[in-house]
Amino acid sequence: MVNVSEVVAARLRHMGVDRVFGTPGLAVDPLTGALRGAPAAPGFVQARGEESAALMACAHAKLTGGLGCCVAPPGAGALRLLGGLYDAAADRAPVLALVGAPGPRGPGGRTVHHLAAVSVYCEEVSAPGLVGDALRRAAQAAVADRGVASLVVPRRVLAADAPGESPGEDGALLPSRPARRPESADVRRAAQALSHGGRPAIVLGASGRTAGAAARDAAQLLGAGIATTALARDALPDDLPYLTGVAGPLGSEAAATLLRECDTLLLVGAEDLDPGLVPDPRGCRIVTVDREPGDCPLGGDVAAVRVNGEVTACLEAVIPLLHRAAPRSWRARVERLVRGWRADGEARSNRYFGTSVNPRSVVAELSHRLPDRAVVVTDSGTALDWWTRHLRLRAGMRSLLSGQLGLPGAAVPYAVAARFAAPDRPVIALVGDGALQGGGMNELITVRRHLDQLAGLPPLVFCVLNNGDLNRLTWQRRAAAEDPLIPLSAEVPALPYAEWARLAGLPAVRCDRPRHVGSVWADVLAGRGPLLLEFVVDGETPPDWAGAVGGARPVPSRTRLGALLRAPG
């Protein structure tokens, strides 16, 4: 007779979960044993910590569009899980968390309480006969409500005989709730509002990622410019001449100008857009397309035309009713704006002072050499600034990040999950040295554990930007004080990252010469398997949003003043 854990493992597989991320513990040993031992079970990846396991499950859900799953023991394990689960909740990624209950027969009340705060569904399962229904309801809630669903299951239940069930019985994931059909009247009002705009703009958000082609068609008809949120960065290729980049408080200046100057704004699944970026509705027509009324980033008080339903279907219903815009002077203005912004970025990436590597050039040179279908992961900090500014994605490429929460250290677990979810794609993670020390180094051990499995796959590159500082924090402090001479204020302990990786058994490359950045990237991307790539970069290079601190360009340290006139190398 099979036990409950074997039934759970088989049902997860039947639901489409092909990998579970987690940490072991006495309370969940029956489940982790079933995941490791049964041929019909999902694979099990043991993370170095519970937060990383949840981050991996979140990244898996974002990349595949399916259900992510993580396992953790109770007590401290459940508390450490919460950081990653909040990331999934903030970005509305469907994740199922299976957590043990403390003690041989003790209740999991405290665990349930903590998990309930982050979950769209949370239940403690007290008897073997209840596990099947609870698992189905939790998975359904995670998928339908796009969030975290949590089950707390005691060891005695996980180890008990399954009452009269075969492992795969009734295990299919129920279909998600039917998509809302847009109201015809709303569709007509939206088309009318959009067709009368003289300076239209479109923002594509996380829930509108799959509507990229429809948004492009709408932009062509309206003569509109397009911006994306960070989570929808890969919805459209960056070679579109009217794509202005990421709209965010520290995002693209081209996107910020687009939103400042537009008189008509179409928000497509843009629930993750910062409401502070939306123009005043008294001077701008606003049309929102969202799955549900509550998804709108503007709240209920803003005067806007709202269309609710499956986002792509809604937009496709609006497009035939749009009138072609004329004249096209606004589109020409947007395209000039984009050309100037990109040319300025290229020029900035070619500058350097002294002998340090310009961090802009690291991402710009990567962008020129990105392999087809690459997955690019970024962390928070200035790595995010360079990813926003200098990375140019082509069709078929993907990007991943902790969007709303901006969790430092998420990039390495994200990249590990991306490698397992997409073994045929190159994966590149951009990580700051502070973020790497904040947890990412632990998951490099996970990579080392699976090195034999990963060595023959396309490159998995962990690109570390070593500037010895929590650099975005330093620039934020300089901006707040309007003083470019504030010294580095959040120094990171010096560590030879490439040497550390080699000590852990991973291949590694270190680059500290500006003229070698391109050739190093070419060599690394031509290889196979995991590798840590350390660039020693200049911490005095300001992000775009900090470039005018104090009314002028930040002044480099005195030790570099003599190098200001050196030509780029």
Side-chain angles (χ1 to χ4, degrees):
M1 190 173 193
V2 297
N3 66 24
V4 168
S5 291
E6 292 168 320
V7 170
V8 169
R11 287 194 174 190
L12 288 173
R13 186 68 179 220
H14 200 190
M15 291 173 178
V17 176
D18 56 9
R19 189 159 288 102
V20 176
F21 305 93
T23 56
L26 188 63
V28 292
D29 276 352
L31 181 55
T32 56
L35 292 169
R36 284 186 169 121
F44 180 70
V45 176
Q46 181 178 330
R48 299 306 98 201
E50 290 81 6
E51 181 179 81
S52 289
L55 289 171
M56 291 175 186
C58 178
H60 178 94
K62 289 179 178 178
L63 185 61
T64 66
L67 180 66
C69 187
C70 54
V71 173
L79 291 176
R80 286 193 289 260
L81 194 72
L82 289 175
L85 294 183
Y86 271 103
D87 180 53
D91 290 346
R92 305 199 70 178
V95 169
L96 174 64
L98 301 173
V99 182
R105 302 183 64 85
R110 287 187 180 179
T111 302
V112 172
H113 173 76
H114 292 307
L115 292 171
V118 72
S119 302
V120 297
Y121 178 95
C122 185
E123 180 180 351
E124 181 180 5
V125 184
S126 58
L130 303 177
V131 172
D133 285 342
L135 184 64
R136 184 170 57 250
R137 288 194 301 271
Q140 172 63 31
V143 172
D145 295 333
R146 294 181 298 138
V148 175
S150 303
L151 288 182
V152 178
V153 190
R155 176 188 170 95
R156 61 181 174 80
V157 174
L158 291 172
D161 290 339
E165 298 184 70
S166 63
E169 183 181 344
D170 195 26
L173 183 62
L174 296 177
S176 59
R177 69 175 58 142
R180 289 169 54 100
R181 296 177 62 87
E183 297 290 339
S184 299
D186 294 340
V187 170
R188 287 194 299 271
R189 282 195 295 269
Q192 184 177 19
L194 293 169
S195 295
H196 285 85
R199 299 187 303 277
I202 299 172
V203 176
L204 198 59
S207 295
R209 274 197 67 260
T210 57
R216 184 176 54 205
D217 292 344
Q220 289 289 78
L221 283 168
L222 297 171
I226 299 181
T228 71
T229 64
L231 288 171
R233 175 81 167 77
D234 55 4
L236 291 168
D238 282 314
D239 57 4
L240 293 178
Y242 48 87
L243 184 61
T244 61
V246 173
L250 304 179
S252 155
E253 177 57 33
T257 303
L258 176 75
L259 294 180
R260 279 198 306 268
E261 297 185 1
C262 70
D263 65 3
T264 307
L265 178 60
L266 171 61
L267 301 178
V268 182
E271 60 189 353
D272 52 322
L273 177 67
D274 187 324
L277 299 173
V278 178
D280 189 331
R282 292 172 295 185
C284 179
R285 301 180 187 90
I286 299 175
V287 176
T288 67
V289 177
D290 294 290
R291 297 185 187 184
E292 301 289 342
D295 294 344
C296 177
L298 307 181
D301 299 330
V302 176
V305 178
R306 300 171 186 261
V307 183
N308 295 121
E310 198 280 320
V311 173
T312 302
C314 289
L315 197 53
E316 289 175 344
V318 171
I319 287 172
L321 303 181
L322 297 176
H323 302 302
R324 183 172 290 276
R328 312 291 279 189
S329 56
W330 169 247
R331 168 61 73 79
R333 156 79 171 143
V334 172
E335 292 185 3
R336 286 195 302 272
L337 184 69
V338 172
R339 285 196 300 271
W341 175 66
R342 288 177 174 163
D344 177 69
E346 190 72 20
R348 291 180 185 225
S349 71
N350 288 327
R351 300 172 187 162
Y352 86 103
F353 302 104
T355 58
S356 295
V357 172
N358 180 348
R360 295 175 179 270
S361 72
V362 173
V363 181
E365 294 289 353
L366 165 65
S367 189
H368 296 323
R369 295 166 175 80
L370 272 177
D372 291 341
R373 302 181 69 246
V375 179
V376 184
V377 185
T378 188
D379 219 299
S380 56
T382 48
L384 177 60
D385 296 317
W386 317 137
W387 171 90
T388 299
R389 184 63 161 103
H390 299 286
L391 186 71
R392 296 185 65 174
L393 299 173
R394 303 190 302 275
M397 294 180 176
R398 293 295 310 273
S399 64
L400 287 175
L401 79 161
S402 171
Q404 298 284 73
L405 195 59
L407 189 65
V412 175
Y414 266 44
V416 173
R419 163 49 69 236
F420 283 111
D424 59 331
R425 287 177 177 258
V427 177
I428 300 99
L430 303 173
V431 193
D433 49 358
L436 191 70
Q437 289 191 20
M441 294 176 73
N442 293 337
E443 294 312 319
L444 292 178
I445 301 172
T446 302
V447 176
R448 174 63 183 88
R449 181 173 185 173
H450 296 274
L451 188 58
D452 290 345
Q453 177 185 350
L454 304 179
L457 298 178
L460 168 60
V461 183
F462 300 94
C463 173
V464 183
L465 302 173
N466 181 2
N467 54 33
D469 183 51
L470 300 180
N471 208 228
R472 179 178 266 202
L473 180 57
T474 288
W475 283 109
Q476 286 173 330
R477 286 172 173 161
R478 287 172 170 173
E482 297 187 351
D483 183 357
L485 298 179
I486 289 177
L488 297 179
S489 51
E491 293 185 41
V492 173
L495 188 69
Y497 299 101
E499 290 181 27
W500 184 93
R502 293 188 195 105
L503 182 64
L506 293 174
V509 174
R510 184 178 187 270
C511 177
D512 58 5
R513 299 185 181 183
R515 286 177 289 186
H516 293 181
V517 172
S519 60
V520 166
W521 269 124
D523 290 344
V524 165
L525 294 173
R528 308 285 288 182
L531 179 140
L532 184 138
L533 173 57
E534 176 188 358
F535 285 103
V536 181
V537 299
D538 185 0
E540 296 289 348
T541 301
D544 288 1
W545 52 266
V549 170
R553 281 181 55 85
V555 180
S557 61
R558 290 181 175 82
T559 58
R560 277 185 289 220
L561 289 177
L564 284 173
L565 300 180
R566 294 183 61 172

